Amino acid sequence: MAREGRGSLVERPKPPAELTCEVHTVTFYSETTNYLVAKVQAKGEPGVVTIVGTLGLVSPGETLFLRGQWTTHSQYGRQFAVEYFEQRMPASLTGIKRYLESKQIKGVGPVLAGKMLAEFGDKVLDVLDEAPEKLLVVKGITPKVLEKITASWNEQREVRGLMLFLQTHDVPTTFAQRIFKHYGSGAVQKLKEHPYGLAYDIHGIGFKTADAMALKLGFAPDCPQRLEAAIIYGLFTLSDAGHLFYPRDELLERVDAMLGGVGLHLLAEALENLDLQKKVRIESLPQQEIDHAVYLTHFYNWEREIAERLWAISSHPAPMPADKVAKIMPSVEAECGIRLSSEQHLAVTQACTNKTFIITGGPGTGKTTITKAIVRALDKLGYKVRLCAPTGRAAKRMTEATGFPASTLHRLLGSNPGGGFAHNEEHKLKADVVLVDEASMLDVQLLLSLLRALPLTCRLVLVGDVNQLPSVGPGNVLGDMLDSGSIEQARLTHIYRQALESMIVVNAHRVNEGKFPVQSVKKPPEADFFWVESDDPQQVQEKIVDLVAERIPRTYGFDPRRDIQVLSPMHKGEVGTQALNELLQARLNPSGRELVRGKNRFRQGDRVLQTKNNYEKDVFNGDLGWIVEVNPHAAELSVDFDGRTVPYESADLDELALAYAVSVHKSQGSEYPVVVVPIVTQHFVMLKRNLIYTALTRARKLAVILGGKKALGIGLGAVGTTKRFTHLRYRLQETFNR
């Protein structure tokens, strides 16, 4: 024990254990993550030992030198968790035989392996290394087979060297296969010469990892390669916050601070070089009084292309007379069972007659009613209408509301497992009208993908609430399109009487105006809104668990696991999603078959969230599902997404998170019977008016806010503080007015 500070004892970390072993069998291997489970025979250890870790694919018969820690798994017992490893050639004749028979060398199977061993004995691997042409004496090895064997052997040797190099320079070996695939032969030498290429070329490796490796290799802290890569990294980081460009001086100051002060003049030179290489675009934007706006080149191109494509669709003739729409409206209203107001009537007519049209408004203003009427009217007029939304849950709501099938945008465009879409510039969608709901969630890339897939004859109708949080991805698409005035639009402001009976709707509009919410005059179970005042995060945490697990289900009859959703502004802290998910899982789903992955425990019956787009599985960031099957031994589980069962292997589990509590951002495009929202000063960085508004508008039947006046006041007062640097608004004006 070592004493650290006054009165505290800190246990020293255990030194790593070492193990030299021969691989017996590979139990599990993921090509995606290089995570491996294998049985080995180790010196000094009786029987076979289980090793686990990110090693890449090893082969039976190989000798490994390992460093790591002995651990005890609750189900599988004693294991050796690998932190460092070296792959060595098999040392024994048995090991060599097992290695050759493992089919890791292309062209060599058990029969040929036996012949090679009979000819060369334990020297066969030396022959492969030094004089592979000698293998031609083995019956069955032709020049063509030898070529295949040699290529496979050399590739394995290269990958081994690459993995050792990556380990030495603290780069996760999970990227070894991807790096080798990109750089090919001589990957190590290429990394030594251009280490910052990793940050550009390999998805998942950022500037910081490449930078640490480069500095370890001896690159100077102020070398041009480093400064250019840091600027690109800075722009990508800012795009994560929604920006398409950033003012030059502010950008260089941020990058200089990140690098510890290398000098603004050197960074300015690096930026000029990037401009010459066409990796960035620098533009003067007088409309925004910005002299030097710095774009990543693809964002610059995307913004301009969006403006051009919207103009091309809007200006392409496809007449639809208003009187033609007016004639069918009585039958549309009758079939839908609705009576449109004059404001709604006008919106429906304009949506049908314009090539591009936007409908925006808050809760209770009739967006759903108008959408239903538009779809029915266009269908009656003989148009092929395609309905879509950015998320599966929003698409499902569209189907329920309109009676017409709707899909996610990704599914409509035909997402490909390798990225990109089946419907694009070359293969247009077959549609006369595309109507997109929850359009506030569209980022520049998704909107552009849609526009590329639309024929010029197609109509585009966007429906969304511009006061909600903007898209998670970069851009401010809906806001910029509305503010440009270039796209015909209907801004719905009238709240209908029936909606005014809901305190959820009333308070959502109050929040949007910067006013504190008011309590419902009704009592439970008729009341649909509560504000529980509490300033202490620990108390708020306890109240949330009690409300979700006991009080709301008992009073209102809602299912705590399926109907009640906690929405938190942040992930950390007592009332962040991480802590609340652990507590709510323990309370609502305490036992059953489970699978442990890092800090996560996934149990059968858990509600989970997909956190990344997975085109192969056809599930996307924000999709909500329930675990229906768990296989701990195989480290696999299955998730039900709206009636479709999707399998997950061990390598995929990082894409799932518990979803008893999710962030407000992740809730966009979804609605829940009940939402419970903590608003505490601990989350002051994230507290914004549109965040509270978005959280409230996710509730259909009951909304509960827990937090003090101070925290709520911070959020209500924070409006216009999250400006995104975009220029689409002005590009649309220039394009449409030329």
Side-chain angles (χ1 to χ4, degrees):
M1 291 282 199
R3 188 173 295 277
E4 183 178 288
R6 186 176 178 182
S8 67
L9 289 174
V10 177
E11 189 173 348
R12 294 184 192 278
K14 293 178 183 177
E18 294 184 349
L19 208 64
T20 301
C21 58
E22 186 177 288
V23 180
H24 189 270
T25 53
V26 176
T27 306
F28 171 80
Y29 171 66
S30 164
E31 285 188 10
T32 310
T33 63
N34 279 340
Y35 184 79
L36 176 99
V37 180
K39 302 287 186 185
V40 301
Q41 292 171 319
K43 290 180 181 178
E45 292 289 332
V48 291
V49 171
T50 300
I51 63 169
V52 297
T54 308
L55 287 81
L57 182 59
V58 299
S59 304
E62 278 190 274
T63 300
L64 302 176
F65 170 73
L66 311 173
R67 285 198 200 102
Q69 301 289 345
W70 286 104
T71 63
T72 303
H73 190 278
S74 58
Q75 185 171 351
Y76 304 118
R78 189 167 180 253
Q79 297 179 338
F80 191 82
V82 180
E83 296 166 359
Y84 171 86
F85 72 98
E86 290 178 20
Q87 287 173 285
R88 297 170 179 173
M89 283 296 98
S92 66
L93 190 60
T94 305
I96 294 171
K97 182 174 185 292
R98 192 178 285 140
Y99 177 73
L100 289 175
E101 289 177 347
S102 68
K103 298 183 181 179
Q104 291 307 306
I105 302 174
K106 291 175 183 173
V108 178
V111 174
L112 203 53
K115 292 179 181 179
M116 290 165 68
L117 283 166
E119 181 70 35
F120 297 105
D122 61 4
K123 303 295 182 189
V124 66
L125 299 185
D126 294 331
V127 171
L128 272 167
D129 252 340
E130 298 161 12
E133 66 278 359
K134 289 183 179 180
L135 292 173
L136 289 169
V137 301
V138 177
K139 190 175 180 181
I141 298 183
T142 63
K144 194 170 183 179
V145 172
L146 179 63
E147 188 179 332
K148 186 188 285 188
I149 291 171
T150 306
S152 179
W153 176 256
N154 290 338
E155 180 178 322
Q156 285 193 42
R157 189 165 48 183
E158 286 252 16
V159 172
R160 276 194 183 85
L162 175 61
M163 292 187 85
L164 185 59
F165 175 80
L166 295 178
Q167 278 190 140
T168 306
H169 293 88
D170 301 320
V171 179
T173 54
T174 50
F175 295 104
Q177 294 291 346
R178 214 179 302 169
I179 291 170
F180 184 79
K181 188 175 181 181
H182 184 83
Y183 291 115
S185 180
V188 170
Q189 188 58 36
K190 289 170 187 173
L191 290 180
K192 287 179 179 177
E193 293 170 0
H194 303 286
Y196 290 102
L198 277 178
Y200 297 118
D201 301 330
I202 309 300
H203 179 70
I205 296 184
F207 167 78
K208 291 182 179 179
T209 300
D211 189 43
M213 184 176 81
L215 294 175
K216 204 169 180 180
L217 286 167
F219 280 73
D222 61 353
C223 70
Q225 274 194 43
R226 183 177 192 236
L227 305 188
E228 289 173 17
I231 291 170
I232 296 293
Y233 171 72
L235 285 168
F236 269 114
T237 303
L238 289 163
S239 76
D240 289 339
H243 303 293
L244 293 181
F245 71 83
Y246 216 69
R248 182 190 64 183
D249 294 347
E250 295 173 43
L251 170 66
L252 297 185
E253 285 172 7
R254 288 174 69 101
V255 174
D256 192 47
M258 179 185 78
L259 296 178
V262 294
L264 291 174
H265 64 292
L266 291 176
L267 285 168
E269 289 177 16
L271 182 61
E272 286 180 24
N273 288 335
L274 288 170
D275 190 25
L276 289 172
Q277 297 168 50
K278 299 194 183 324
K279 289 182 177 177
V280 302
R281 287 295 300 258
I282 304 172
E283 188 178 22
S284 174
L285 305 177
Q287 301 96 324
Q288 301 193 59
E289 298 181 353
I290 296 173
D291 293 329
H292 302 91
V294 184
Y295 282 87
L296 288 167
T297 301
H298 63 280
F299 285 146
Y300 174 81
N301 292 335
W302 288 356
E303 198 174 61
R304 291 172 62 89
E305 188 180 345
I306 285 171
E308 289 291 340
R309 287 189 180 276
L310 280 169
W311 176 81
I313 291 171
S314 299
S315 59
H316 191 275
M320 165 85 77
D323 59 349
K324 193 175 179 181
V325 179
K327 283 180 184 177
I328 63 163
M329 287 313 296
S331 62
V332 167
E333 289 180 290
E335 289 176 17
C336 293
I338 55 177
R339 186 67 181 269
L340 298 175
S341 68
S342 56
E343 179 189 53
Q344 293 174 323
H345 218 292
L346 180 61
V348 173
T349 303
Q350 289 179 316
C352 291
T353 54
N354 283 287
K355 286 294 300 301
T356 54
F357 195 70
I358 304 172
I359 299 166
T360 187
T365 57
K367 293 194 303 296
T368 301
T369 300
I370 290 170
T371 301
K372 188 176 181 179
I374 292 169
V375 176
R376 186 59 61 98
L378 289 167
D379 181 66
K380 286 181 79 67
L381 290 165
Y383 285 82
K384 183 178 177 64
V385 185
R386 305 294 295 271
L387 307 183
C388 60
T391 69
R393 293 180 73 81
K396 189 177 180 183
R397 285 206 326 274
M398 280 186 91
T399 301
E400 292 167 354
T402 64
F404 287 77
S407 70
T408 62
L409 251 169
H410 290 87
R411 201 163 291 158
L412 175 71
L413 295 176
S415 55
N416 292 320
F421 296 100
H423 292 291
N424 50 38
E425 181 67 44
E426 286 76 35
H427 300 93
K428 300 289 189 181
L429 272 169
K430 291 181 179 177
D432 299 315
V433 185
V434 170
L435 192 150
V436 185
D437 197 12
E438 296 287 353
S440 62
M441 297 180 67
L442 292 175
D443 60 27
V444 284
Q445 187 172 15
L446 193 52
L447 175 63
L448 182 55
S449 297
L450 173 62
L451 293 175
R452 285 173 175 169
L454 296 183
L456 289 177
T457 53
C458 189
R459 285 173 156 73
L460 176 64
V461 181
L462 302 178
V463 183
D465 185 348
V466 74
N467 294 311
Q468 287 190 31
L469 287 169
S471 58
V472 175
N476 184 32
V477 167
L478 187 63
D480 283 348
M481 289 170 71
L482 287 163
D483 291 343
S484 73
S486 302
I487 310 295
E488 294 294 333
Q489 56 192 260
R491 291 183 183 252
L492 309 175
T493 55
H494 179 72
I495 307 171
Y496 291 88
R497 184 176 58 80
Q498 188 176 359
L500 282 171
E501 294 174 5
S502 165
M503 293 307 294
I504 297 172
V505 172
V506 169
N507 283 319
H509 285 277
R510 286 182 65 85
V511 165
N512 193 42
E513 294 165 4
K515 299 174 183 176
F516 281 99
V518 293
Q519 296 285 15
S520 175
V521 294
K522 296 177 181 177
K523 301 296 181 187
E526 283 74 33
D528 66 353
F529 175 84
F530 294 98
W531 173 14
V532 181
E533 289 194 50
S534 179
D535 291 312
D536 179 64
Q538 189 62 44
Q539 286 183 4
V540 171
Q541 182 192 82
E542 292 168 4
K543 287 179 179 178
I544 287 173
V545 175
D546 183 49
L547 279 166
V548 173
E550 299 292 338
R551 292 177 62 187
I552 293 175
R554 185 173 62 241
T555 306
Y556 286 86
F558 290 113
D559 183 330
R561 283 202 285 183
R562 289 195 168 262
D563 296 335
I564 306 174
Q565 183 64 63
V566 178
L567 303 179
S568 179
M570 291 187 77
H571 297 293
K572 301 291 179 67
E574 290 101 320
V575 291
T577 60
Q578 292 171 359
L580 290 172
N581 268 317
E582 287 183 22
L583 290 166
L584 289 168
Q585 183 193 45
R587 188 72 172 269
L588 300 175
N589 196 23
S591 60
R593 292 169 69 85
E594 74 172 21
L595 198 166
V596 180
R597 177 72 167 186
K599 294 181 180 179
N600 283 325
R601 291 181 178 273
F602 296 113
R603 294 186 184 132
Q604 194 165 320
D606 276 337
R607 183 164 61 203
V608 289
L609 185 81
Q610 176 75 15
T611 60
K612 297 176 182 175
N613 289 340
N614 188 319
Y615 297 98
E616 291 183 10
K617 294 184 183 298
D618 199 25
V619 289
F620 302 99
N621 189 356
D623 284 356
L624 201 65
W626 282 266
I627 297 176
V628 291
E629 189 178 346
V630 175
N631 185 338
H633 184 71
E636 297 173 349
L637 54 80
S638 296
V639 180
D640 180 331
F641 289 102
D642 290 325
R644 192 170 60 91
T645 302
V646 179
Y648 283 77
E649 296 178 356
S650 175
D652 307 319
L653 295 180
D654 291 338
E655 297 180 4
L656 289 177
L658 290 175
Y660 298 101
V662 301
S663 69
V664 179
H665 285 84
K666 289 288 187 186
S667 74
Q668 285 177 271
S670 296
E671 278 189 353
Y672 315 93
V674 183
V675 299
V676 177
V677 189
I679 304 289
V680 297
T681 51
Q682 196 177 62
H683 294 160
F684 76 93
V685 175
M686 293 298 294
L687 295 182
K688 302 287 186 292
R689 186 185 297 180
N690 58 357
L691 181 136
I692 301 169
Y693 174 81
T694 299
L696 262 183
T697 56
R698 300 305 89 203
R700 285 203 309 268
K701 297 179 180 177
L702 176 64
V704 182
I705 288 178
L706 297 98
K709 279 190 175 178
K710 182 179 179 183
L712 209 52
I714 291 170
L716 294 174
V719 61
T721 58
T722 54
K723 171 180 167 57
R724 294 185 169 195
F725 284 110
T726 71
H727 202 62
L728 180 60
R729 169 186 177 179
Y730 302 101
R731 296 200 194 282
L732 285 167
Q733 290 172 345
E734 290 169 359
T735 306
F736 276 70
N737 294 331
R738 65 189 175 193

